[in-house]
Amino acid sequence: MNYDEILKKVNPTYFSAKGCLGLLAETGDSDIIKFYNGIDKEQLTAFDNDPITKSRVISLEARYQMWNVIAEETDCQNIVDLPCGYLPHSLVTAQLNKNYYGLDLPIVIDEISNIAAKILNEREKSLVKYYGVDATNYLSMRNALNDVQGKICIITDGLLGFFDNNDLKVVCENIYRLLQEFGGCWYVSDSQFDELMGITYATLTGKNANEMLNATTGGNKDVSDTDNSNHIFLNGTLEERRQFVEECGFSLRSFRYPEKLKIIPSLKNNPDLMKKILSAYKEIEEWILNVDVAESTDKKILDIPFAKEFLVKDNILAIRISGRLDTINAPKLLQEYEEFQNKFTEIHIDAGELEFISYAGLRVFKIMCESLTDENLFKIKNANEDVEKILTENGYKITDF
């Protein structure tokens, strides 16, 4: 595999972002179509003209328009788009004369930054920056904001469902620290992600919202390998979701969709339907989160440099890993692993200096396991308590070889 193929294999969630852009292109929005025309449409197929698809398009458009409203209303001059996906948020933000920081997987950033460079004018380009990050990696996000002056508004739309609860806590902790330093706020549209789609479907069809939710359940599982069964944002109650973020230290204020969203442009020729849908959206709660910037933290960031050592002996591939095995580093591990294919029958991982493993890292371990004739010959030793917890929850055993 070339490196681009490795990135896709390790980070398959990029494809869902392309699917969202494709659905939004159905609205006819000229900015969205400009960006859609620029992407590589690999594996994207024509969308069905059925009620479920229509409901997804309308709910995605509502979220997109709400993103634009928040970016305009906030008094923060710096908009942090996490994750930015392939949407034209950079263009929208630059036209507001605000600074834009688009953060996403490196594979997404490689493509969206080139597309934006062809669409934005020179003044707009001066306000826009894109960075490849891992939301579980604080330093990757902090480094992306090195030139920020003033408060930040972090806008999250379609992120939280792609983590398990362990990683989700790390993401919240990282965002908390950024807001502690810079001030500002965190807008979260994921508080009732599924409910928004369900209400849209029920309003369009008069049928039970669960019919659509049951039809779309597992979408994140297909592309992220996350365990959704106990996911707080996918399966918890609204009160449990509120409690989760408040226990992470955030103060929360909520509002209802119709308080800020006044129009769904693709429905402007059907004002009765638009009014009906916006009225139904009064059931949807959105969040703006803040932290106490006066509060300080002395927690040190472990920064063990990522390193990997490979050795083949007696048909055993021994791999020693240091640092974080996350979205940024997992592709590097897989790339070097590919060079040793067919030279071993057993794999031994020394995780003694492995600081953290995300689902990208787990995905690489899974690829390694599946390459063996007997998956029991994939062995791990020396994991620290936190890493061992993640590994055992995902079916791996820590041994002494």
Side-chain angles (χ1 to χ4, degrees):
M1 290 186 288
N2 61 37
Y3 197 64
D4 187 57
E5 291 171 332
I6 287 173
L7 286 174
K8 292 175 182 178
K9 198 170 185 68
V10 175
N11 299 306
T13 53
Y14 82 97
F15 189 70
S16 66
K18 287 192 173 184
C20 287
L21 182 64
L23 285 165
L24 279 169
E26 298 291 309
T27 67
D29 183 285
S30 60
D31 290 341
I32 291 171
I33 289 173
K34 287 177 188 176
F35 279 70
Y36 180 69
N37 288 340
I39 67 168
D40 179 355
K41 299 177 183 61
E42 54 172 340
Q43 301 178 18
L44 286 179
T45 58
F47 297 105
D48 295 328
N49 190 28
D50 61 90
I52 288 180
T53 301
K54 289 180 180 177
S55 301
R56 293 179 67 195
V57 169
I58 292 172
S59 59
L60 282 169
E61 183 181 16
R63 287 163 48 198
Y64 173 71
Q65 294 298 330
M66 183 66 81
W67 194 105
N68 296 345
V69 169
I70 297 299
E72 182 173 10
E73 284 191 356
T74 181
D75 63 353
C76 300
Q77 184 61 27
N78 304 293
I79 306 299
V80 180
D81 190 5
L82 177 71
C84 63
Y86 298 93
L87 299 179
H89 291 152
S90 57
L91 178 60
V92 171
T93 305
Q95 290 174 345
L96 295 171
N97 204 34
K98 294 185 176 184
N99 300 314
Y100 175 85
Y101 295 82
L103 312 185
D104 211 314
L105 302 171
I107 188 173
V108 174
I109 296 303
D110 287 348
E111 188 169 8
I112 185 61
S113 58
N114 289 326
I115 294 170
K118 296 174 183 176
I119 295 173
L120 276 59
N121 62 37
E122 292 306 314
R123 186 197 68 81
E124 292 163 346
K125 290 178 187 177
S126 70
L127 296 169
V128 170
K129 294 182 175 67
Y130 285 102
Y131 294 96
V133 304
D134 183 324
T136 67
N137 185 329
Y138 171 77
L139 290 175
S140 74
M141 292 203 292
R142 179 58 186 83
N143 290 339
L145 305 182
N146 272 340
D147 68 346
V148 167
Q149 296 183 357
K151 296 187 296 183
I152 59 176
C153 175
I154 302 172
I155 307 182
T156 291
D157 181 6
L159 173 72
L160 303 183
F162 289 102
F163 298 100
D164 69 359
N165 288 334
N166 291 323
D167 282 2
L168 190 56
K169 289 178 181 178
V170 176
V171 172
C172 288
E173 180 179 288
N174 291 343
I175 292 176
Y176 186 94
R177 298 193 66 172
L178 292 174
L179 292 179
Q180 266 192 325
E181 177 179 355
F182 293 101
C185 63
W186 181 21
Y187 165 72
V188 179
S189 76
D190 295 353
S191 56
Q192 290 188 285
F193 182 91
D194 284 342
E195 289 88 339
L196 182 69
M197 287 194 297
I199 286 175
T200 306
Y201 177 79
T203 305
L204 280 177
T205 65
K207 298 179 180 179
N208 191 296
N210 288 332
E211 182 175 318
M212 176 181 183
L213 297 179
N214 291 337
T216 56
T217 294
N220 287 0
K221 178 75 173 176
D222 293 340
V223 294
S224 69
D225 301 333
T226 53
D227 179 5
N228 292 345
S229 58
N230 297 309
H231 196 289
I232 191 70
F233 275 87
L234 297 178
N235 295 313
T237 65
L238 181 59
E239 185 55 39
E240 288 170 336
R241 298 170 203 176
R242 277 173 155 268
Q243 183 178 351
F244 179 87
V245 297
E246 288 171 344
E247 288 177 351
C248 289
F250 296 95
S251 60
L252 181 155
R253 56 189 174 95
S254 63
F255 64 90
R256 302 288 172 162
Y257 247 77
E259 294 177 40
K260 295 184 181 293
L261 187 66
K262 305 301 181 184
I263 186 172
I264 301 175
S266 70
L267 299 179
K268 63 183 178 182
N269 292 328
N270 193 340
D272 290 340
L273 178 59
M274 180 167 63
K275 182 178 180 180
K276 187 177 180 182
I277 287 177
L278 288 174
S279 177
Y281 282 176
K282 68 180 183 295
E283 302 297 327
I284 301 299
E285 181 176 286
E286 298 288 274
W287 296 344
I288 296 179
L289 307 179
N290 298 92
V291 305
D292 183 358
V293 296
E295 183 181 335
S296 62
T297 178
D298 295 326
K299 181 177 179 180
K300 295 181 179 180
I301 298 292
L302 291 176
D303 189 20
I304 302 172
F306 175 72
K308 53 199 179 337
E309 298 176 11
F310 288 74
L311 176 66
V312 177
K313 185 178 180 180
D314 298 330
N315 291 320
I316 296 173
L317 174 61
I319 308 174
R320 184 177 182 181
I321 308 171
S322 303
R324 297 177 57 89
L325 191 57
D326 55 21
T327 294
I328 307 297
N329 297 320
K332 303 172 186 175
L333 180 67
L334 181 58
Q335 182 182 39
E336 188 162 346
Y337 168 78
E338 291 284 323
E339 298 174 6
F340 289 87
Q341 286 283 27
N342 303 317
K343 297 180 181 179
F344 54 87
T345 57
E346 191 167 338
I347 299 174
H348 291 179
I349 303 288
D350 184 344
E353 294 185 357
L354 181 59
E355 172 193 340
F356 175 83
I357 183 167
S358 73
Y359 263 91
L362 290 171
R363 208 169 286 123
V364 173
F365 279 8
K366 182 178 180 181
I367 291 169
M368 291 179 177
C369 269
E370 292 178 346
S371 72
L372 300 173
T373 55
D374 181 355
E375 293 187 7
N376 291 319
L377 297 178
F378 181 85
K379 301 177 182 180
I380 307 171
K381 72 174 183 179
N382 294 335
N384 66 40
E385 183 178 349
D386 292 338
V387 170
E388 181 175 355
K389 181 174 184 291
I390 295 170
L391 290 171
T392 54
E393 286 178 353
N394 286 276
Y396 295 98
K397 296 180 179 179
I398 308 303
T399 70
D400 292 326
F401 296 162

